[in-house]
Amino acid sequence: MPATLTIPVPRDYLLLRDACSYGYFLLEPTFWDPRLRTLRRVMSLPGGAASLTIRQDGRKGSPLQAVADRRLSKADEREALRQISRMLRLDEDHLHVREFHRLDARWKRSGRARLFRSPTLFEDVIKTVTSCNVTWPSTVSMNRRLCEAFGEKSPSGRPAFPTPQILARQRANTLRARCGVGYRDARIVELARMFVREELDPAWFEDPLTPDEAIRERLIELPGIGPYAAANILQLLGRYGHLPLDTESVRHGKSVLGFRGSSRAVMNRVQKHFEPFGRHKFRSYWFEMWCFYESKRGQAHTWDRETTGSSFTASKL
DNA sequence: GGTAGACCTGGACGC
DNA sequence: GCGTCCAGGTCTACC
């Protein structure tokens, strides 16, 4: 008998808006079904992998229903709830959201504030590494192949994201050959080993008392993590005071904000432009870009993963 | 502290 | 079908 979980959400929570709010919702093993408006993904739980399909009845603030493809023990249920809560940012302080809307009133009416992320910090770190120095279709491909090659299968045959334990046991060459990750191979294996050896402690990174700058400094030391990746991981940790500046920022600066000059000059102007939004600047920056994408491709919850969702490339927008 | 060049892959393009 | 070029952040060597 498959398990069904009922998950309370903040009163402003809307699944189709808040799940389809960041590119990772298009990456394996996550699957947003634009027709059924459900979010499906396989999670690694104490009793093994399980696929969960999450839906909301369409009303803001209605509880979510998550249906698993197998029975879940109490320990499985607790872990599934913890991961879903992280992924959908259900635990994000509503005062923090209100502060953001006071600072940037453009998003108050639509209610945009929450950004989709992975159920674990490890997956967020690896996804960030697979998004560096490649166009989006390659990021899509790397994540699909990582899951197919190394993800534990749920009873319905779909793979989870590989655990640090599985990736830590691989040789770099194996990752390169089976997942097309290129020179990122050794960096991904080393990151996985650091998680397994507990040199990277997710609790320290997730602790609100840990200063942003301490986290940034630690991230920059890691293989494959530079200034862009560190800022991106910071926002994934709910710390929105840094901008992950990349070629996409330059495109946005030029085409939407009307800035001119070299890439470096445009990046500096983008940085300055969002300074007034202080510790919420990433959300202001991101939703501005997200709205631009939606103006070109339709609302994100209508995007098909295999077509629209696989084709974004800054230089072609 | 700043910067040039290497690192890989997939897609576009020309022949 | 093959070769060439390009996009994309991090890392190292060098000034």
Side-chain angles (χ1 to χ4, degrees), chain A residues 130-142 184 310 312-316:
Chain A
T130 65
S131 73
C132 289
N133 200 29
V134 282
T135 53
W136 182 248
S138 294
T139 303
V140 171
S141 164
M142 281 186 242
R184 298 164 198 79
S310 298
F312 284 90
T313 296
S315 60
K316 297 205 173 91

Side-chain angles (χ1 to χ4, degrees), chain A residues 254-307:
Chain A
K254 287 181 175 171
S255 67
V256 175
L257 301 175
F259 298 153
R260 296 283 171 267
S262 65
S263 292
R264 173 62 60 88
V266 171
M267 273 193 192
N268 288 340
R269 289 202 64 186
V270 170
Q271 178 72 44
K272 212 166 176 180
H273 180 79
F274 288 97
E275 275 308 321
F277 300 109
R279 67 175 186 144
H280 296 281
K281 66 171 74 80
F282 176 77
R283 294 201 272 205
S284 291
Y285 161 83
W286 182 256
F287 290 130
E288 210 175 276
M289 291 212 298
W290 202 243
C291 283
F292 174 76
Y293 301 151
E294 291 192 323
S295 74
K296 300 281 180 192
R297 307 290 179 99
Q299 288 185 293
H301 68 79
T302 67
W303 297 349
D304 173 57
R305 187 174 71 177
E306 308 309 323
T307 54

Side-chain angles (χ1 to χ4, degrees), chain A residues 121-133:
Chain A
L121 174 63
F122 175 69
E123 186 177 330
D124 272 341
V125 168
I126 301 302
K127 279 188 157 55
T128 299
V129 170
T130 65
S131 73
C132 289
N133 200 29

Side-chain angles (χ1 to χ4, degrees), chain A residues 23-305:
Chain A
Y24 290 4
F25 91 98
L26 297 162
L27 297 179
E28 286 277 5
T30 302
F31 174 67
W32 170 260
D33 187 326
R35 194 174 57 82
L36 299 175
R37 298 182 170 185
T38 56
L39 186 76
R40 186 186 74 211
R41 73 160 281 150
V42 177
M43 291 181 169
S44 298
L45 303 177
S51 175
L52 285 110
T53 304
I54 303 167
R55 69 184 78 241
Q56 188 181 37
D57 72 6
R59 281 174 305 156
K60 213 188 304 183
S62 296
L64 306 176
Q65 303 289 326
V67 180
D69 63 350
R70 66 169 173 80
R71 282 175 184 273
L72 299 180
S73 67
K74 285 291 170 201
D76 285 336
E77 283 188 11
R78 275 196 301 275
E79 180 60 14
L81 288 171
R82 199 185 64 77
Q83 292 191 25
I84 290 169
S85 181
R86 185 184 197 279
M87 175 172 76
L88 302 178
R89 305 217 195 211
L90 301 179
D91 52 355
E92 190 152 77
D93 181 0
H94 75 282
L95 293 176
H96 203 242
V97 170
R98 273 170 53 187
E99 185 184 281
F100 167 55
H101 287 157
R102 269 202 304 276
L103 210 56
D104 191 346
R106 292 177 296 171
W107 316 113
K108 189 174 178 181
R109 190 182 167 83
S110 63
R112 288 179 195 269
R114 292 183 172 79
L115 290 150
F116 184 84
R117 60 179 171 174
S118 304
T120 65
L121 174 63
F122 175 69
E123 186 177 330
D124 272 341
V125 168
I126 301 302
K127 279 188 157 55
T128 299
V129 170
T130 65
S131 73
C132 289
N133 200 29
V134 282
T135 53
W136 182 248
S138 294
T139 303
V140 171
S141 164
M142 281 186 242
N143 279 278
R144 179 175 46 78
R145 293 168 69 179
L146 278 167
C147 293
E148 284 171 357
F150 301 112
E152 187 189 358
K153 304 279 191 302
S154 75
S156 49
R158 299 186 186 98
F161 194 79
T163 59
Q165 288 75 15
I166 290 173
L167 291 184
R169 288 199 297 269
Q170 306 307 317
R171 282 188 223 178
N173 281 343
T174 311
L175 240 69
R176 181 179 294 222
R178 297 185 66 184
C179 310
V181 296
Y183 64 85
R184 298 164 198 79
D185 56 0
R187 298 174 189 178
I188 291 173
V189 171
E190 183 53 22
L191 284 165
R193 290 178 181 163
M194 293 173 93
F195 271 88
V196 170
R197 292 194 297 252
E198 299 183 354
E199 290 166 30
L200 294 177
D201 175 15
W204 182 81
F205 286 95
E206 308 269 9
D207 185 346
L209 296 177
T210 309
D212 284 16
E213 205 42 47
I215 293 181
R216 206 187 89 85
E217 282 173 16
R218 181 71 182 111
L219 290 170
I220 290 280
E221 293 170 357
L222 303 179
I225 309 291
Y228 163 82
N232 195 54
I233 294 167
L234 277 165
Q235 71 83 7
L236 292 163
L237 285 163
R239 296 161 186 267
Y240 306 110
H242 301 258
L243 294 184
L245 293 170
D246 59 0
T247 51
E248 185 55 12
S249 321
V250 175
R251 182 206 56 72
H252 187 73
K254 287 181 175 171
S255 67
V256 175
L257 301 175
F259 298 153
R260 296 283 171 267
S262 65
S263 292
R264 173 62 60 88
V266 171
M267 273 193 192
N268 288 340
R269 289 202 64 186
V270 170
Q271 178 72 44
K272 212 166 176 180
H273 180 79
F274 288 97
E275 275 308 321
F277 300 109
R279 67 175 186 144
H280 296 281
K281 66 171 74 80
F282 176 77
R283 294 201 272 205
S284 291
Y285 161 83
W286 182 256
F287 290 130
E288 210 175 276
M289 291 212 298
W290 202 243
C291 283
F292 174 76
Y293 301 151
E294 291 192 323
S295 74
K296 300 281 180 192
R297 307 290 179 99
Q299 288 185 293
H301 68 79
T302 67
W303 297 349
D304 173 57
R305 187 174 71 177

